Amino acid sequence: MNVSTMQARDSHASADDIQDGPVLLSASTITGDDVYNMQDEELGRIQDVMLDIKDGNIRYVVLASGGFLGLGDRLFAVPWKALRHDKINKRFTLDVDVERLKNAPGFDKDQWPNMADATWNATVESFYTR
């Protein structure tokens, strides 16, 4: 991690953290960030960010979970709106317990789903909607 990335990581923000105006971050700034659940259990790390280029918004983050040093990871598309930023611990939280995540719609690193498919999208969105 280079110095500019570390400085950018210190400036993470979410809608709850913003006081005055918008804050912009590069996707590479949050890539690699840890994701924990509300019980303070590590769920994985952000591997990628999926942008909806039609709407100009982040649609999903790709969460890598369950592997060791990147090997054997299972990937999950987590809706951006399901994540909350934990600026104190410089990580993200997701309100899903470890056992529930094991049953989430996931995919293999070599077989990504068509994330533009409406049926797939509805399945993923409904899984993380509470």
Side-chain angles (χ1 to χ4, degrees), residues 36-49:
Y36 280 71
N37 63 17
M38 308 311 269
Q39 295 78 32
D40 204 35
E41 298 169 312
E42 186 175 8
L43 297 176
R45 70 188 177 300
I46 296 174
Q47 180 173 315
D48 212 337
V49 177

Side-chain angles (χ1 to χ4, degrees), residues 50 52 55 58-61 77-83 94 96 100 104-105 115 117-130:
M50 304 304 293
D52 183 330
D55 295 334
I58 297 173
R59 173 72 65 90
Y60 301 106
V61 297
V78 176
W80 177 246
K81 63 186 175 188
L83 293 169
L94 176 63
V96 172
R100 181 162 167 77
M115 292 185 179
D117 176 65
T119 303
W120 182 87
N121 185 21
T123 301
V124 170
E125 293 286 336
S126 67
F127 184 85
Y128 293 99
T129 302
R130 295 211 173 223

Side-chain angles (χ1 to χ4, degrees), residues 77-120:
V78 176
W80 177 246
K81 63 186 175 188
L83 293 169
R84 296 290 172 250
H85 183 251
D86 176 353
K87 68 181 180 180
I88 293 170
N89 296 303
K90 298 182 179 129
R91 63 188 185 192
F92 288 88
T93 58
L94 176 63
D95 191 11
V96 172
D97 65 41
V98 173
E99 289 305 311
R100 181 162 167 77
L101 183 64
K102 289 178 183 177
N103 296 314
F107 54 98
D108 191 62
K109 70 176 184 170
D110 296 324
Q111 295 181 342
W112 283 51
N114 176 1
M115 292 185 179
D117 176 65
T119 303
W120 182 87

